[in-house]
Amino acid sequence: MLAVYVYRVIVGHQSPLIDEHAKENINFQLSYQLYFLCFMIFVFGINGLSSFFDVSAIDLPPLFAIIGVGAGFIIIGILLLHGFLYSYFW
């Protein structure tokens, strides 16, 4: 991300196309990092809550963990798709 920013500062004023794509790239990378940070906080928060409460009596199959991670990735994908569609069509 830093390399794209430096490139935009150095070469961005020469072409509006380079400037626009560099801004979109920086926006995408910041959004993706923010979504990933929120996802990791959510995952570690749930893990911390499960260690706080006694959930050893509940024997859940690993399928629930796979479904939970898949649902998280689907939510992140929907948010990224929404950002992509918003930036190009509205």
Side-chain angles (χ1 to χ4, degrees):
M1 183 172 71
L2 185 61
V4 175
Y5 179 73
V6 169
Y7 185 76
R8 179 176 176 248
V9 169
I10 293 172
V11 184
H13 60 84
Q14 296 175 357
S15 168
L17 181 69
I18 292 174
D19 187 46
E20 182 65 29
H21 283 282
K23 284 193 288 188
E24 291 290 329
N25 189 329
I26 292 170
N27 185 19
F28 171 77
Q29 289 180 8
L30 285 173
S31 298
Y32 190 73
Q33 289 175 1
L34 181 65
Y35 297 148
F36 184 74
L37 178 68
C38 291
F39 179 72
M40 293 309 291
I41 289 172
F42 178 74
V43 167
F44 287 121
I46 295 297
N47 188 22
L49 286 176
S50 67
S51 64
F52 180 72
F53 297 111
D54 184 24
V55 293
S56 61
I58 303 172
D59 187 26
L60 296 175
L63 179 63
F64 285 116
I66 294 170
I67 291 172
V69 169
F73 282 125
I74 289 171
I75 291 170
I76 289 174
I78 289 171
L79 290 173
L80 289 173
L81 181 63
H82 176 266
F84 171 77
L85 293 176
Y86 181 78
S87 66
Y88 283 105
F89 297 112
W90 282 282

